Amino acid sequence: MASSHASHASHASLLDLAPVVPVVVIADVSDAVPLARALVAGGLPAIEVTLRTRVALDAVRAIAEEVPDAVVGAGTVLTPDQVHDSVASGARFLVSPGWTDVLLEAMRGSGVPFLPGVSTTSEVVALLERGVTEMKFFPAEAAGGTAYLKSLSGPLPQARFCPTGGIGAANAPEYLSLPNVGCVGGTWMLPADAIAARDWARVEKLAREASRLGPQV
């Protein structure tokens, strides 16, 4: 993971930056930079900030400007406007819970890596038909979990996934052991009480534990 390209999403697959991508919901923009620094210090440089809060784009901008070792992206991207605004704010990758042709074209035209969300075989095949081989599998546990992904790897070995949804420290290793999983997304290294208390040392410790879950290289 510690290659010279690790901090440049455009030079490597998004799925290879780190075994775990923290999925961050930021309610107070002043938390963005210390939170990102704690995650990076713990070995998780790829940070997905979801566009579920009013300050999300400001948080992306703050992290992009002040935490150079972070590879910050925007999640829950649903519209072409959000694609544009996210990249303008400094997002270096985009993640959506699902996709349409309109959204896919906007993400493709953004100039940054993207992970469109899928939960069915037909959606995976449709993306492969459009030349997209890396995708988010969401909601992972609800949509069939590791058994479902294992079943996909036979007929569709060229598809690689970042499963997100219902994944924690206990089941992440099972996902990461699958040949078609590059990384997982999760929130377990960001417990609500730690964020509320601004206990960044605890976040860094949990991030460090998460960074060691993947296959050691």
Side-chain angles (χ1 to χ4, degrees), residues 35 50 58 64 79 145 183:
L35 183 105
T50 71
D58 292 330
T79 67
C183 61

Side-chain angles (χ1 to χ4, degrees), residues 144-211:
T146 53
Y148 194 95
L149 286 169
K150 208 173 287 181
S151 302
L152 288 182
S153 66
L156 304 170
Q158 65 274 53
R160 291 182 76 218
F161 301 95
C162 176
T164 306
I167 297 176
N171 61 353
E174 194 183 345
Y175 279 93
L176 291 166
S177 71
L178 298 177
N180 56 348
V181 169
C183 61
V184 299
T187 59
W188 74 88
M189 73 300 298
L190 303 160
D193 56 340
I195 305 298
R198 295 182 163 81
D199 185 351
W200 309 127
R202 185 169 162 217
V203 171
E204 181 181 335
K205 176 178 176 286
L206 290 168
R208 185 165 292 112
E209 290 166 6
S211 75

Side-chain angles (χ1 to χ4, degrees), residues 52-103:
R52 297 182 201 175
T53 64
R54 203 172 34 82
V55 299
L57 289 172
D58 292 330
V60 169
R61 185 176 292 109
I63 294 168
E65 289 174 357
E66 297 182 50
V67 192
D69 291 334
V71 179
V72 65
T76 323
V77 175
L78 301 173
T79 67
D81 281 348
Q82 287 181 327
V83 169
H84 174 269
D85 293 345
S86 297
V87 175
S89 298
R92 290 168 59 187
F93 65 91
L94 304 168
V95 183
S96 67
W99 66 277
T100 64
D101 277 318
V102 169
L103 180 59

Side-chain angles (χ1 to χ4, degrees), residues 7 9 86 125:
S7 63
S86 297
V125 171

